Amino acid sequence: MTDFMKLSVAATAAAKKAGAEYADARVNLLQMESYGLHNGDLENASVSEECGLGLRVLVDGTWGYAATVGTDKSALHEVAMRAVNAARSLSSARVKRVTMSEDDLTSGEYRTPVREDPFALSAADKVAFLQSVDKGLQGEESVVARDVNLGIRRERQWFSSSNGAEQFQELVRTGAGVSATAAKHGIVERRSYPASFGGDYRAAGFEHVRSLNLAEHAEQVRDEAVALTSAPICEAGERDLLLMGNQLMLQIHESVGHPNELDRVFGHEVDLAGASFATTDKLGEFQYGSSIVNLVADSTVEGGLDTRAWDDDGVKSGRWHVVKDGVFVGYHTSREWAERIGETTSRGCNRSEGWYNPPIIRITNLSLMPGDWTLDNMIADTEDGVLCDTVKMWSIDQRRLNFQFTTELGWEIKNGKKVRMVRKPTYQGNTTDFWRSCDAICDESHWRLWGVPNCGKGNPMQVAEMSHGCSPARFRKQTFVV
Amino acid sequence: MALTKNYGLGSEALLDAAVELVERAHERDTVFEAEATVRLTVNSFARFADTGPTQSAERAKLDVRLRIRREAGGQLFEAAASGQALDEIAMDSLIDQADSIAAISPAVGTPIELGGHVEVSTGTCDPATLTHGPREKAAAIKKAIAAVRAVGATPAGLFDTTGSAVAIANSKGRQVRNESTRASFALTVTGPSEGGLGGSGWAESIRSRVGDLDIDSVIERAIAKAAIGQERGAVEPGEYTVILEPAAVSSLLLFASYYGFGAKEVAEKSSFLCGRIGEKAFADSVTIIDNWNHRLHKSCSFDGEGSPKRVTPLVTGGVLGNPVTDRTFAVKSGGVAEDSTGHASPQPSSSGPSASCLCVEPGESSTAELIAGVKRGLLVTQFHYTNMIDPREMMLTGMTRNGLFLIEDGQIVRPLKNLRFTESLMRAMANVKAVGSELDISGALFDGEVITPALCVEGFRFTSSTDF
């Protein structure tokens, strides 16, 4: 047993001794490196390391949590007493006791498969890599901001619970992206590749960054940013909507993932993030989407940002349908919430941001299964539509129904052909109308995972990561607004 | 947590550590300049819902950041490293990491030397806030749950108390430290049926001292906003005169804080200030100041470079002023580094300076008087998930939440189902017809808070509706 696992086990023992009915402890060591070139300057070059202990206890049917920086064993008693006393004090306001599903917690080790260790690559090589990509962004006077970003992280976690589980996980996440912002005639437009807000992240090594071929795409990013400043605004009206994967993934995230979190369904997130229209009376019957829509949650899929062996309840990962043939059939749950829908075991979705935060239900990797179209055929089959590419802006209501999204770029499609580029394509709709209008999904050759490294939830807010797999798809008669 | 003993946050000890880290870095021949930032956060929160307390934490964390600069041939090369410990091994590790990356970094584009000695306020730490624990929070939560259940509704909320201490030291003799506390209590009330009678309501109180929170008022206001038992009507999307309460104003203005009032956005032509500085673009009644030292809530007195935060007028009588700066953008704007308005992020960073303490100057009418002046319009409590479509016009979209009401002939006549707005902040601020007199502190879904009164805005554009 490693020293950190010993510390974790000692923490749960201290909690039990202090009076906890149940306890689990996480020792987390998080190492990150981030580099960002802005207009050729290395504006961000930083490395960081965080290490601490979080201890969760159940006392008198109420949760308590205490966390402390570092790994000082002498602090364990104080941390345990703080957690237990918090739970005991708060239990005076308890209305319903917390109960947990009877999952069989196992012990073991898990490591993200990595072919090229991103931490082994020197900082000099990483910066040189970014500089080589930046070259492709140069050469246009109207480009006022060129950005190339790279981020790597490795999180090691030593989890133990008072019912004997000892789990070690090492999760490695790597990502990069490029963007150009052009300003002309008072118009400012940004273009990004392969995704906006820092790029695309994956549970993998540096081989993922190399596979993105950023240098090969940089010139196109630059040229499209410039072209957008002269492009017409996407007109308002009702047309078919074709979404590329780097936009559709956010649609999955916001209109299927979040409303599927069972704590949100029961109003436990309503104080900030909101509630959910996908209430339990709809489970098993509700037509969430058209019959070709299959959405699968999978915390085992290769490369997923939430691919791991166990969640922070210690429950093993799994794969299940959330929407099957268009029908709503499953939720994201935790040990605390599974029984609310009559399930005896958790889906393993309880996660926390590091040692500092208690776990809450989070979306895992959630993907739209591929169909049988090619993108060319889907465009050729569209009489009047807009092909929307790359997230620019998103907003969705507190029950996850009314949404409005804007993408970086759109292509108008007339009579089966892409006819012109448009800027700020903005579409507004309703979650169920949207998914029910899906009549074409591209095949497996177009399918890939897209990483979401910045999902906010909780109060105080925590950030989590997950991936969404999809291929481009078409949604009939959507409303575009200006 | 040991650093919180004796009811203090120990910012003096943090400053000593920062100075030691800088001195230790200078023991290396390679280090030209260094800047150390040490931050301690002590937080206690309890979250609650229909089942009682649902989550809580008693926690503390230490963040240490070291910025290292090398010099060669008149050029500077820099990098930063962060950790969470202050022992000798940890300090040496930070120095190694930052220095090794600085060694391979390209030269800094605009090499501005670190700032020297300054005098800043060290702030105050409220002992009662710092020691406020689960037992005290449980009493307030119990009271809120009982009050909400008594009207047949469901509660959810958060009671949070935080103490923060930060110290910065650098090679040029800059040594600054600050302590502050913050307390908040928020309650959301959900009626028995979201789709029928009774909607949802919300209220929050944020202050520097936990004793200044008005818990009873929060409970009363949140329940009133839920309008339990009243049928909610519907109005068509379109343009309406609106009374935006402070939380709604906050979720709009925060985007100007994130993306508009900073000198970097102006330099890169993405700010709404571009081409408009000195113009009267907002209504006469709109004056916005970045003020870290507001009487309702004081934040840190210095920025990420240790520069004193200046109370900076951003909009005066509707006229747009200059953007806020850091040391780099003070020079890029034609001045010297010491002209910095004190709005830097910790450096090096790809983030430019930002105005994070926005305060809207109050007017003379109470919120009730603002409502009384509306022939037909809407009262908006809060916006949800506001986001930005376009930075130059500050085109924003979001949903109303937790209390939308129809106003007719100066009276609130009924609660309404929610609407989505799509509106330019520029246009909305130009259409402000009256500014309220009652200030409050409010945040939104994303980071940040604004101190503002309610605003009356004409012709505010709603673009779609909901059935709840």
Side-chain angles (χ1 to χ4, degrees):
Chain A
M1 190 187 292
T2 64
D3 287 346
F4 283 170
M5 186 60 84
K6 285 178 186 168
L7 185 73
S8 180
V9 170
T12 54
K16 288 289 281 186
K17 191 176 175 186
E21 297 151 17
Y22 167 84
D24 55 39
R26 287 175 292 112
V27 176
N28 289 92
L29 173 62
L30 174 65
Q31 295 163 300
M32 295 188 289
E33 291 182 20
S34 63
Y35 303 88
L37 278 188
H38 180 75
N39 292 339
D41 291 338
L42 189 66
E43 285 198 347
N44 177 25
S46 62
V47 295
S48 66
E49 184 171 299
E50 298 178 11
C51 189
L53 166 78
L55 179 61
R56 182 174 68 152
V57 301
L58 196 57
V59 180
D60 295 338
T62 303
W63 288 119
Y65 189 81
T68 186
V69 68
T71 55
D72 181 3
K73 194 171 180 183
S74 66
L76 288 185
H77 175 70
E78 184 197 351
V79 173
M81 290 308 296
R82 276 180 177 261
V84 168
N85 288 340
R88 195 163 279 145
S89 297
L90 290 166
S91 70
S92 65
R94 190 195 68 221
V95 177
K96 180 182 181 302
R97 295 183 71 90
V98 171
T99 56
M100 299 170 79
S101 57
E102 295 297 322
D103 291 81
D104 181 22
L105 305 192
T106 56
S107 296
E109 295 188 354
Y110 173 83
R111 290 178 175 81
T112 300
V114 169
R115 289 202 292 276
E116 184 178 0
D117 180 0
F119 288 89
L121 194 67
S122 74
D125 286 344
K126 288 166 187 155
V127 173
F129 174 83
L130 297 184
Q131 288 173 318
S132 69
V133 174
D134 182 59
K135 283 179 186 164
L137 294 173
Q138 297 172 12
E140 280 287 346
E141 197 178 333
S142 60
V143 172
V144 292
R146 313 187 313 268
D147 287 284
V148 192
N149 293 295
L150 167 66
I152 61 175
R153 56 182 280 158
R154 177 170 58 209
E155 182 172 18
R156 292 173 172 140
Q157 175 166 296
W158 292 264
F159 170 95
S160 70
S161 76
S162 56
N163 37 9
E166 294 175 13
Q167 301 165 353
F168 169 75
Q169 300 193 87
E170 180 181 89
L171 307 177
V172 178
R173 296 155 187 156
T174 307
V178 57
S179 72
T181 304
K184 222 172 176 179
H185 322 303
I187 292 169
V188 181
E189 292 292 345
R190 183 191 69 217
R191 196 71 185 99
S192 311
Y193 175 84
S196 45
F197 301 100
D200 184 43
Y201 284 72
R202 190 174 172 91
F206 204 78
E207 68 275 8
H208 170 59
V209 174
R210 297 195 193 283
S211 75
L212 296 172
N213 295 322
L214 296 181
E216 289 176 26
H217 290 84
E219 285 185 23
Q220 183 182 349
V221 165
R222 176 199 66 193
D223 294 345
E224 288 182 349
V226 174
L228 278 170
T229 62
S230 302
I233 283 194
C234 181
E235 293 169 1
E238 194 175 80
R239 275 172 287 175
D240 291 345
L241 169 67
L242 285 72
L243 293 183
M244 297 299 286
N246 57 7
Q247 169 66 19
L248 183 52
M249 61 99 176
L250 191 65
Q251 198 85 42
I252 295 168
H253 183 89
E254 302 290 4
S255 67
V256 183
H258 279 308
N260 198 255
E261 298 157 342
L262 198 54
D263 54 352
R264 179 190 289 260
V265 172
F266 280 95
H268 282 218
E269 287 289 325
V270 78
D271 55 324
L272 186 69
S276 173
F277 77 95
T279 46
T280 53
D281 55 305
K282 297 182 173 72
L283 189 63
E285 297 175 7
F286 184 69
Q287 196 70 36
Y288 208 109
S290 67
S291 61
I292 63 169
V293 171
N294 283 282
L295 289 145
V296 172
D298 189 351
S299 46
T300 67
V301 62
E302 183 185 348
L305 290 182
D306 187 37
T307 294
R308 57 178 70 222
W310 306 275
D311 73 350
D312 291 341
D313 272 343
V315 174
K316 67 181 178 185
S317 295
R319 183 180 192 274
W320 68 101
H321 272 84
V322 166
V323 174
K324 188 171 177 55
D325 301 330
V327 178
F328 171 40
V329 294
Y331 279 112
H332 285 64
T333 67
S334 66
R335 291 189 71 194
E336 181 180 352
W337 286 98
E339 69 170 23
R340 293 283 195 113
I341 52 170
E343 295 187 354
T344 55
T345 56
S346 163
R347 295 291 187 182
C349 304
N350 222 24
R351 287 195 287 147
S352 54
E353 181 187 351
W355 57 269
Y356 193 63
N357 295 286
I360 52 177
I361 292 180
R362 304 307 303 245
I363 311 167
T364 186
N365 311 308
L366 175 63
S367 301
L368 177 66
M369 295 296 100
D372 51 12
W373 290 70
T374 66
L375 181 59
D376 288 344
N377 287 345
M378 200 164 73
I379 292 169
D381 185 61
T382 302
E383 193 174 323
D384 181 18
V386 182
L387 175 68
C388 292
D389 194 335
T390 316
V391 174
K392 182 183 177 78
M393 189 288 305
W394 65 102
S395 174
I396 190 163
D397 74 41
Q398 51 274 26
R399 294 179 68 192
R400 300 276 151 176
L401 281 166
N402 179 305
F403 62 77
Q404 183 167 313
F405 290 89
T406 304
T407 63
E408 288 186 351
L409 177 147
W411 286 99
E412 274 189 358
I413 299 170
K414 297 284 185 193
N415 301 316
K417 290 190 165 47
K418 286 163 70 174
V419 292
R420 64 171 181 169
M421 179 188 290
V422 290
R423 68 188 179 94
K424 287 191 182 59
T426 300
Y427 60 95
Q428 192 174 84
N430 174 286
T431 291
T432 51
D433 293 343
F434 172 83
W435 285 107
R436 289 171 187 171
S437 76
C438 182
D439 78 332
I441 303 172
C442 289
D443 63 24
E444 197 153 7
S445 68
H446 297 73
W447 195 95
R448 58 161 289 187
L449 281 178
W450 297 92
V452 177
N454 59 346
C455 173
K457 189 191 170 190
N459 195 14
M461 190 173 277
Q462 303 182 37
V463 175
E465 308 84 21
M466 64 288 295
S467 296
H468 302 301
C470 57
S471 46
R474 182 173 63 192
F475 302 84
R476 291 291 197 189
K477 294 188 185 310
Q478 296 298 306
T479 302
F480 287 82
V481 297
V482 174
Chain B
M1 289 185 186
L3 288 165
T4 68
K5 282 177 181 171
N6 304 319
Y7 303 153
L9 281 165
S11 65
E12 288 180 346
L14 300 186
L15 183 57
D16 289 344
V19 170
E20 184 186 342
L21 183 52
V22 169
E23 288 173 349
R24 211 171 175 88
H26 274 287
E27 290 173 6
R28 312 282 175 96
D29 293 338
T30 52
V31 173
F32 175 68
E33 288 181 330
E35 176 186 270
T37 304
V38 184
R39 186 181 302 273
L40 175 68
T41 307
V42 181
N43 174 251
S44 165
F45 81 82
R47 201 177 183 201
F48 59 98
D50 60 335
T51 56
T54 56
Q55 291 160 17
S56 67
E58 302 295 306
R59 54 191 184 173
K61 66 174 178 177
L62 184 71
D63 295 298
V64 185
R65 192 171 195 271
L66 179 66
R67 176 188 185 187
I68 289 277
R69 285 176 149 188
R70 288 180 165 219
E71 190 271 343
Q75 293 187 304
L76 294 177
F77 307 84
E78 72 176 355
S82 302
Q84 293 191 311
L86 282 167
D87 58 77
E88 290 184 357
I89 294 171
M91 284 190 183
D92 286 343
S93 172
L94 275 188
I95 296 165
D96 287 343
Q97 291 178 61
D99 191 42
S100 62
I101 298 179
I104 56 88
S105 293
V108 175
T110 309
I112 310 296
E113 68 175 350
L114 300 182
H117 175 80
V118 290
E119 295 288 341
V120 297
S121 162
T122 55
T124 53
C125 161
D126 174 43
T129 305
L130 199 57
T131 57
H132 193 269
R135 188 176 302 278
E136 295 91 337
K137 290 179 175 69
I141 290 169
K142 201 170 178 177
K143 193 175 190 179
I145 290 174
V148 175
R149 285 163 64 97
V151 296
T154 305
L158 174 72
F159 201 151
D160 183 284
T161 48
T162 303
S164 303
V166 59
I168 299 178
N170 72 20
S171 313
K172 294 295 174 70
R174 179 162 290 187
Q175 295 183 13
V176 292
R177 64 184 177 88
N178 188 271
E179 295 178 7
S180 62
T181 46
R182 178 191 181 279
S184 67
F185 181 79
L187 174 64
T188 300
V189 176
T190 306
S193 168
E194 273 270 31
L197 299 175
S200 59
W202 166 90
E204 182 176 33
S205 180
I206 302 170
R207 292 292 184 269
S208 297
R209 303 156 61 93
V210 71
D212 292 339
L213 294 177
D214 190 342
I215 306 286
D216 290 340
S217 169
V218 169
I219 295 169
E220 186 182 326
R221 286 184 287 134
I223 290 173
K225 286 285 188 185
I228 306 296
Q230 296 182 46
E231 188 169 357
R232 280 167 299 150
V235 294
E236 289 297 312
E239 292 189 3
Y240 291 88
T241 296
V242 290
I243 305 299
L244 303 178
E245 292 197 338
V249 177
S250 172
S251 66
L252 304 181
L253 282 181
L254 280 170
F255 280 86
S257 168
Y258 306 149
Y259 297 110
F261 283 128
K264 186 174 184 181
E265 291 87 53
V266 173
E268 296 183 352
K269 301 179 181 177
S270 62
S271 168
F272 63 87
L273 293 178
C274 292
R276 293 180 171 123
I277 293 172
E279 280 187 13
K280 201 181 89 52
F282 292 0
D284 294 343
S285 54
V286 177
T287 291
I288 303 173
I289 298 168
D290 187 85
N291 183 4
W292 65 272
N293 196 29
H294 197 281
R295 63 179 171 81
L296 282 185
H297 184 56
K298 296 183 192 307
S299 60
C300 187
S301 56
F302 51 86
D303 69 5
E305 295 175 311
S307 298
K309 281 185 186 168
R310 295 185 189 175
V311 175
T312 307
L314 299 167
V315 181
T316 306
V319 177
L320 303 184
N322 289 315
V324 298
T325 59
D326 54 17
R327 290 178 62 80
T328 298
F329 278 92
V331 172
K332 286 185 174 180
S333 303
V336 296
E338 278 63 38
D339 293 336
S340 166
T341 59
H343 292 84
S345 303
Q347 299 295 312
S349 168
S350 54
S351 299
S354 67
S356 56
C357 302
L358 298 185
C359 304
V360 179
E361 289 289 286
E364 294 178 351
S365 306
S366 67
T367 303
E369 288 168 336
L370 293 181
I371 293 167
V374 175
K375 178 72 177 166
R376 187 169 192 272
L378 307 177
L379 173 66
V380 181
T381 303
Q382 195 181 28
F383 287 128
H384 174 72
Y385 221 133
T386 303
N387 216 336
M388 185 178 70
I389 301 168
D390 178 83
R392 285 292 285 255
E393 294 303 319
M394 274 276 137
M395 184 62 75
L396 307 171
T397 187
M399 293 294 300
T400 63
R401 184 181 187 182
N402 290 327
L404 177 68
F405 298 88
L406 179 65
I407 304 169
E408 287 181 343
D409 298 323
Q411 302 284 323
I412 295 173
V413 292
R414 75 174 66 92
L416 295 172
K417 294 174 181 175
N418 289 296
L419 296 172
R420 171 174 293 284
F421 77 91
T422 304
E423 181 59 282
S424 152
L425 178 68
M426 303 301 297
R427 185 170 172 272
M429 289 297 119
N431 288 340
V432 169
K433 293 303 164 192
V435 178
S437 57
E438 299 149 351
L439 290 174
D440 205 354
I441 312 169
S442 298
L445 188 62
F446 304 130
D447 282 345
E449 285 158 1
V450 176
I451 297 175
T452 180
L455 300 178
C456 175
V457 181
E458 288 189 335
F460 196 85
R461 192 168 71 118
F462 293 91
T463 51
S464 67
S465 57
T466 68
D467 59 4
F468 65 91

